[in-house]
Amino acid sequence: MSTILKDIEQQQSHINAWFEHLHSHPELAMQEAGTAEYIATVLRGLGEFEVVTGVGKHGIVASLKVGDGDKSIALRADFDALPIQESNNLHYCSKTPGLSHLCGHDGHTAMLLGAAKHLAETKNFNGTLRLFFQPAEETMQGAPAMIADGLFERFPVDNVFAMHNMPGLELGKLYFTEGDTMAAVDSWEVVLTGKGGHGAFPELAVDPVVAGSSLVMALQSVVARNVAPSHSAVVTVGAFQAGEAGNVIAHTATLRLSIRTTTASDRILVLNNIRRLVHQQAESFGCSAEIREGQPGAVLHNDPEETRKAAQIARAALGEDKVSEKGPTYLGSEDFAFMLQQKKGTYCFLGNGDSKFVHHPEYVLNKDILPIGAAYWVALAEGWLR
């Protein structure tokens, strides 16, 4: 066991306390005022960081310069929760009905706070360290909002790094993947407008539910018949909302789509085909269609050189058996991709072992990985800022 990890484990009571507080008090994307205030209070209590709040609404940047080094890096953690009812019997369960930290963002933040405490006390680096605490990852809003608020102009860095826990991967092991690692996601809303009416007189109405049902099936052909079989993409209709009563033909129907692609060219291809199908299907049923496109997606691309260097630092700090450079790729998405478009860096996974998957009502982040994640951040900061 490395000296860094041993030292961090001496602070695990603090890390656990931060984690449990955050877990008990979840807040949705772009509504995390209380969470941001709590994080800023902890950071200011460390006494060494310059703490700036309100970056991209609720984002926080904590900066610490040591020595005369001209290098600078940023370590990023997210802190928004999900609109899911937790189904766990934990003493620190969510206290807010219908909201919960079921993706581990509370753990990510606690890990970075643990690293901040250690680095503030030891200052064993030479250069500028910045900690980015980011809101609204789940909605892909947080990173773009912080960037639009002048993140990299106001707080210059050379490289950026982030990490996510991952169920199904070996507990406490770090996984690094070079190149394209996570998919671009585009979250769209399609509103079909027909003509409402009485369920007994369909000839006097134009039914958007029938049009929407046909559209759902047509969308299944977008990937199957347009994307190369060797590529990965998915179009999911996660919500279909229309009407309130069985004897009423709805006037409108709303479909919410999650569109995931792994290359820039496939993204353009898939989105254009969806646009075409939406309007053609709607017209064929006598409806009109409106597409509300959300934040444009981006593929998360890990710089190969920075990834190899980060893995080497992790291996030296945590041991050969705790690091894999043959990490997985996922159709899941990450708005850290937008930061990696601005600066070189890498995004790794930390195994959560055999647990329910993220976003499951019974998902639990294993506390044993908290000091490991914090130790990786410390080792990365010290190794990069020599």
Side-chain angles (χ1 to χ4, degrees):
M1 183 184 299
S2 73
T3 301
I4 292 175
L5 183 55
K6 287 181 180 178
D7 291 343
I8 292 289
E9 287 182 337
Q10 299 301 312
Q11 303 179 10
Q12 188 161 358
S13 61
H14 295 286
I15 301 174
N16 286 353
W18 295 326
F19 166 67
E20 291 179 7
H21 175 90
L22 292 166
H23 189 90
S24 297
H25 300 85
E27 293 178 300
L28 290 178
M30 288 303 182
Q31 300 175 30
E32 317 97 326
T35 303
E37 182 179 0
Y38 177 78
I39 295 168
T41 298
V42 173
L43 289 167
R44 291 187 178 111
L46 301 178
E48 299 293 337
F49 285 91
E50 177 187 346
V51 180
V52 178
T53 61
V55 182
K57 192 170 184 179
H58 293 311
I60 301 165
V61 177
S63 303
L64 177 59
K65 181 172 176 58
V66 175
D68 58 0
D70 57 2
K71 291 183 180 180
S72 59
I73 65 167
L75 313 179
R76 173 272 205 176
D78 40 17
F79 58 73
D80 57 323
L82 288 158
I84 305 174
Q85 179 64 45
E86 184 174 16
S87 297
N88 289 315
N89 185 26
L90 305 169
H91 72 268
Y92 55 90
C93 262
S94 170
K95 295 181 179 180
T96 307
L99 303 185
S100 52
H101 273 289
L102 294 175
C103 198
H105 295 184
D106 47 357
H108 302 163
T109 294
M111 292 174 198
L112 193 52
L113 288 173
K117 185 176 187 301
H118 182 87
L119 290 162
E121 292 170 351
T122 59
K123 298 186 181 67
N124 185 29
F125 63 91
N126 184 30
T128 300
L129 171 68
R130 302 197 195 276
L131 310 181
F132 294 168
F133 292 88
Q134 183 211 296
E137 187 282 325
E138 294 292 353
T139 59
M140 305 296 286
Q141 294 174 286
M146 292 184 75
I147 292 168
D149 200 12
L151 178 66
F152 293 116
E153 292 77 22
R154 296 164 62 188
F155 312 99
V157 294
D158 300 316
N159 304 99
V160 292
F161 302 91
M163 171 172 51
H164 203 294
N165 81 95
M166 190 56 65
L169 298 182
E170 183 180 330
L171 184 68
K173 189 169 184 174
L174 286 163
Y175 293 79
F176 295 85
T177 308
E178 296 180 20
D180 294 341
T181 301
M182 298 190 78
V185 62
D186 289 89
S187 299
W188 284 10
E189 187 172 82
V190 175
V191 179
L192 301 175
T193 300
K195 181 181 178 182
H198 196 293
F201 301 92
E203 74 278 12
L204 301 178
V206 177
D207 195 341
V209 172
V210 175
S213 300
S214 179
L215 176 59
V216 170
M217 298 307 297
L219 289 174
Q220 306 313 303
S221 70
V222 171
V223 173
R225 285 295 174 266
N226 292 279
V227 177
S230 59
H231 295 190
S232 295
V234 66
V235 178
T236 295
V237 181
F240 188 159
Q241 300 170 342
E244 297 292 339
N247 64 345
V248 178
I249 293 174
H251 188 67
T252 63
T254 301
L255 288 72
R256 295 193 175 94
L257 281 58
S258 180
I259 308 154
R260 298 173 186 271
T261 49
T262 53
T263 71
S265 59
D266 280 347
R267 178 174 175 270
I268 294 171
L269 173 74
V270 168
L271 297 185
N272 284 339
N273 274 280
I274 291 174
R275 292 186 185 100
R276 174 179 57 80
L277 281 174
V278 166
H279 291 293
Q280 289 180 349
Q281 288 283 316
E283 184 180 359
S284 70
F285 285 90
C287 293
S288 62
E290 177 190 0
I291 301 175
R292 299 168 182 169
E293 301 184 13
Q295 168 68 45
V299 175
L300 186 145
H301 180 85
N302 287 328
D303 182 84
E305 182 179 350
E306 312 303 323
T307 301
R308 289 191 292 270
K309 185 175 178 180
Q312 181 181 7
I313 291 171
R315 185 178 295 107
L318 301 174
E320 185 74 31
D321 62 334
K322 291 298 182 183
V323 175
S324 170
E325 290 191 64
K326 297 181 179 180
T329 61
Y330 292 104
L331 274 170
S333 58
E334 225 322 328
D335 75 347
F336 186 64
F338 297 106
M339 293 192 183
L340 287 174
Q341 288 180 335
Q342 304 289 320
K343 302 291 179 179
K344 290 183 178 181
T346 196
Y347 177 96
C348 68
F349 301 105
L350 176 56
N352 197 54
D354 184 17
S355 71
K356 299 291 186 182
F357 205 69
V358 292
H359 295 208
H360 189 285
E362 297 175 12
Y363 159 84
V364 177
L365 184 137
N366 192 317
K367 289 183 185 178
D368 289 344
I369 71 173
L370 295 175
I372 297 171
Y376 166 64
W377 285 142
V378 170
L380 193 64
E382 293 181 353
W384 220 271
L385 301 175
R386 292 187 182 277

